[in-house]
Amino acid sequence: MENLQAMGLEESGSNAHFQENFETIAVRTQSERTQFQEHSVPLYLTSSYVFEDSEDMRASFAEEKKRNIYSRFSNPNTSEFIEKVARMEGAEAGYAFATGMAAVFSTLAALLNSGDHIVAARSVFGSTHGLFTKYFPKWNITHSYFDVNEPETIESHIKPETKILFAESPTNPGVDILDLEYLGKIAKKHDLILIIDNCFATPYIQNPIKFGADLVIHSATKLIDGQGRVLGGVTVGREDLIREIYLFSRNTGPALSPFNAWVLSKSLETLSVRLEKHCENALRVAEFLEENAKIGWVKYPFLKSHPQYKIAKNQMRLGGNVVAFEIKGGIEAGRRFIDSLQLCTRSANLGDTRTIVTHPASTTHSKLNENERLEAGISEGLVRISVGLEHIDDIINDLKNALNN
Ligand SMILES: *Cc1c(COP(=O)(O)O)cnc(C)c1O
């Protein structure tokens, strides 16, 4: 972390031994105080920084000095946010982006060359699927998908030109679980860079680097912000890879705004407390749905009935805040259910304080045909709930009333 520290982060000093625990890292990782001795970190809205003289400027640009030059490269607020996520994930370094998709795109684009190949789980975020299928082929970067329920087939997709193994766990919107330790072993054996989009779990619930991931990506827009306010993204992991990603991003300009970084770093202070409640509510919702006769099946990582329950328990601290279920009666029943909700919101976001319900078959995945949807694990009656922080009785009552309609 020495480079980040030089960019204005306090050395943990005598507090170092307290900084091992997640909650303390979340609250106490903080930019150095200014001469005003403020307790809460100020907002550094500045696009550039000044130099002593021409030699100072030369040495700074030559990277002989680690310091802030221009906020496309670094800024005290973004450095604090990166440092915090890196510590939470057990990573060596990181870079922060304007959105989660900027993080996914810039990370892959920085590391891949024309002719390279990606092996990925078929259940990836819609826009990531768009990158793989629509844009990367323009630069002769190809991909192969494996089925999340057949991880034993992964190795059959690996070619000499495969460079990256990419996956999300839990997946969106099906809430399937991939065995990170197994992915780590495959990546190591075939000398692949393992990249995990850890958005659904957050650094509080799951740390993929422990299981062999080289890089971890987050859309900070979701549970990290947690209140549906700002967009953001971050990639943390191996220093040599982050260096490539940093240089690419310093030139291409997907940097996170200092304001959003400030908001997101504040949000991280309460991440553990929020997630304890989110996950407690989500488990209650999952248990309620499992008992309901109008429901075909329910998927939640910490329900014993989840096909990968054992793996989830091994790699996750909590089950997350997303529950997927199949409503009997297909696409029409799904739409009627969504339309009958009074409290829960129909919205595209997730990880908000407000409970959000989506019906992928008629919305986010409506452009796919039924076969493509089934391949992506999306049945006609699949409903995804991002469980929020309202009182659990009110959430369940709303779901109950809508199911009775
Ligand atoms: C939302 C999301 C993204 C993209 O993040 P944005 O901040 O919306 O750009 C990437 N991956 C996953 C798993 C997501 O849920």
Side-chain angles (χ1 to χ4, degrees):
M1 286 298 142
E2 84 192 71
N3 55 337
L4 292 171
Q5 190 229 322
M7 289 176 185
L9 285 168
E10 211 168 324
E11 184 45 81
S12 34
S14 58
N15 286 329
H17 62 287
F18 289 124
Q19 307 231 343
E20 302 299 313
N21 293 310
F22 188 93
E23 292 79 356
T24 314
I25 291 170
V27 173
R28 289 290 175 180
T29 304
Q30 189 163 328
S31 292
E32 210 176 311
R33 290 202 177 100
T34 71
Q35 76 268 32
F36 299 117
Q37 292 296 304
E38 68 283 346
H39 196 192
S40 176
V41 171
L43 180 50
Y44 292 94
L45 285 184
T46 179
S47 38
S48 65
Y49 306 83
V50 293
F51 301 92
E52 292 290 311
D53 50 32
S54 61
E55 171 51 24
D56 181 28
M57 200 161 180
R58 184 206 60 78
S60 301
F61 272 83
E63 295 189 61
E64 288 162 21
K65 290 182 179 176
K66 291 256 166 82
R67 51 154 294 165
N68 294 304
I69 298 173
Y70 189 63
S71 284
R72 170 152 39 83
F73 309 173
S74 66
N75 167 284
N77 292 121
T78 54
S79 295
E80 179 187 288
F81 172 63
I82 294 163
E83 164 97 10
K84 211 179 261 191
V85 176
R87 283 187 176 165
M88 289 172 164
E89 287 285 12
E92 293 167 358
Y95 188 82
F97 301 88
T99 67
M101 278 321 298
V104 173
F105 173 71
S106 306
T107 298
L108 294 170
L111 300 175
L112 290 164
N113 291 310
S114 174
D116 285 345
H117 177 251
I118 306 163
V119 171
R122 189 184 302 282
S123 313
V124 286
F125 186 66
S127 298
T128 305
H129 172 73
L131 283 183
F132 291 165
T133 52
K134 202 166 161 201
Y135 298 104
F136 283 160
K138 294 208 291 189
W139 300 301
N140 192 28
I141 293 166
T142 55
H143 74 280
S144 304
Y145 281 142
F146 65 88
D147 190 320
V148 286
N149 295 307
E150 293 169 3
E152 65 281 1
T153 64
I154 296 175
E155 284 185 285
S156 69
H157 296 288
I158 296 170
K159 310 177 192 185
E161 55 273 27
T162 306
K163 188 154 179 205
I164 284 172
L165 180 56
F166 185 98
E168 298 169 14
S169 185
T171 62
N172 181 22
V175 203
D176 290 303
I177 301 290
L178 279 161
D179 185 340
L180 298 180
E181 200 169 347
Y182 177 67
L183 296 185
K185 279 187 187 136
I186 291 177
K188 191 151 201 219
K189 178 171 160 198
H190 296 273
D191 199 21
L192 308 178
I193 300 167
L194 176 59
I195 304 181
I196 300 295
D197 180 336
N198 203 26
C199 170
F200 268 47
T202 80
Y204 182 62
I205 291 186
Q206 174 174 283
N207 297 134
I209 289 171
K210 254 195 333 225
F211 300 100
D214 299 290
L215 293 169
V216 174
I217 297 178
H218 287 283
S219 164
T221 314
K222 313 292 169 55
L223 285 155
I224 289 182
D225 173 72
Q227 289 145 87
R229 301 165 299 183
V230 301
L231 297 163
V234 62
T235 301
V236 298
R238 254 170 59 191
E239 191 143 30
D240 58 325
L241 300 174
I242 293 292
R243 173 81 186 149
E244 292 303 314
I245 295 162
Y246 164 75
L247 291 173
F248 178 84
S249 304
R250 173 177 161 146
N251 281 290
T252 54
L256 179 64
S257 99
F259 177 77
N260 288 4
W262 179 82
V263 170
L264 292 169
S265 188
K266 288 272 159 218
S267 297
L268 284 173
E269 294 183 17
T270 57
L271 183 70
S272 63
V273 189
R274 288 187 284 110
L275 277 168
E276 289 288 341
K277 194 68 187 176
H278 271 294
C279 298
E280 184 191 318
N281 283 354
L283 182 60
R284 291 276 302 277
V285 165
E287 286 167 351
F288 158 75
L289 291 169
E290 207 166 38
E291 300 285 296
N292 193 292
K294 296 194 170 132
I295 305 298
W297 51 258
V298 182
K299 243 195 235 166
Y300 182 69
F302 274 25
L303 273 186
K304 286 211 176 71
S305 57
H306 192 290
Q308 292 102 22
Y309 172 74
K310 275 215 179 96
I311 300 169
K313 278 281 188 181
N314 183 47
Q315 67 194 27
M316 297 170 78
R317 189 204 291 253
L318 293 164
N321 85 315
V322 179
V323 182
F325 66 93
E326 165 79 18
I327 196 159
K328 289 178 186 163
I331 208 154
E332 272 320 304
R335 294 182 63 157
R336 244 192 346 269
F337 169 73
I338 297 264
D339 287 339
S340 307
L341 294 164
Q342 302 283 325
L343 174 76
C344 302
T345 345
R346 293 163 283 270
S347 175
N349 195 20
L350 66 93
D352 197 307
T353 48
R354 289 154 282 227
T355 298
I356 294 170
V357 181
T358 52
H359 180 230
S362 66
T363 57
T364 47
H365 294 72
S366 62
K367 288 203 188 73
L368 306 184
N369 64 40
E370 195 175 336
N371 230 3
E372 289 172 320
R373 275 203 289 271
L374 283 179
E375 271 190 352
I378 294 154
S379 53
E380 304 290 284
L382 175 75
V383 175
R384 184 192 79 184
I385 306 189
S386 161
V387 181
L389 299 180
E390 302 94 337
H391 196 285
I392 184 63
D393 294 347
D394 296 329
I395 300 171
I396 288 182
N397 272 335
D398 194 35
L399 300 175
K400 200 185 282 172
N401 291 337
L403 284 168
N404 288 337
N405 257 341

